Amino acid sequence: MTNPDGFHPDFTASDRDTPRKRVHHIKASELDPGTAQTEGMRRFAAISGKSVGALNLWMGEVHVAAATASGNHHHGESETAIYIRSGHPEFVFHDGDQEVRIATAPGDYIFVPPYVPHREENPDPTTPAEVVIARTTQEAIVVNLPALYAL
């Protein structure tokens, strides 16, 4: 039966327990550290295929301690959007000629295209950096690399 308002489907009693037919609330205390990791940072999953049944989205956060740099990595086929919540992390990648460093501040956004090797650095000697991440795959794809750029 189609709902006459056209805005949402009619749900059956069995649909109420289907993860993809309900809104999910993930509390900050429920973030999952059991996701792909890179040396020098800690990732925490919030929204994923595992947590809510997402098919096309992964979302979570990353913490980089003061005076720390992550290992070099990329995220495979995922597009990655990053929101700087706190601290002043720097994002480093190689443009084919040289290393490029992007300094950020809280409220800034970063976009990392698929397969682009990069690393996060936190040069602040005392303040950790925290960022919110969204990716276009339902799990956190992380490919750790020995170098930022293959020379």
Side-chain angles (χ1 to χ4, degrees):
M1 173 199 262
T2 303
N3 192 306
D5 66 17
F7 285 100
H8 59 81
D10 289 322
F11 293 113
T12 65
S14 64
D15 286 337
R16 289 187 199 106
D17 295 325
T18 303
R20 295 198 40 83
K21 293 193 176 180
R22 61 186 308 265
V23 173
H24 295 266
H25 176 199
I26 311 310
K27 295 179 181 178
S29 62
E30 298 171 337
L31 296 180
D32 182 4
T35 189
Q37 299 293 336
T38 297
E39 185 177 337
M41 60 180 12
R42 289 288 296 149
R43 288 187 188 91
F44 300 89
I47 308 298
S48 68
K50 178 178 152 185
S51 67
V52 301
L55 296 179
N56 302 307
L57 179 68
W58 183 94
M59 190 169 188
E61 57 187 56
V62 174
H63 299 185
V64 181
T68 301
S70 77
N72 301 304
H73 60 281
H74 70 74
H75 302 291
E77 67 207 43
S78 291
E79 291 182 320
T80 302
I82 302 168
Y83 171 75
I84 312 309
R85 182 167 54 204
S86 65
H88 291 84
E90 296 183 0
F91 295 82
V92 182
F93 70 100
H94 201 287
D95 69 2
D97 292 322
Q98 62 184 353
E99 271 191 13
V100 176
R101 181 175 302 275
I102 300 171
T104 66
D108 290 353
Y109 291 83
I110 294 288
F111 173 73
V112 181
Y115 299 102
V116 173
H118 61 283
R119 72 175 171 263
E120 287 84 25
E121 296 183 2
N122 183 5
D124 190 298
T126 58
T127 306
E130 294 183 4
V131 303
V132 176
I133 306 282
R135 293 207 187 103
T136 58
T137 54
Q138 56 106 17
E139 292 303 331
I141 298 172
V142 176
V143 179
N144 293 309
L145 304 168
L148 189 61
Y149 182 72
L151 299 175

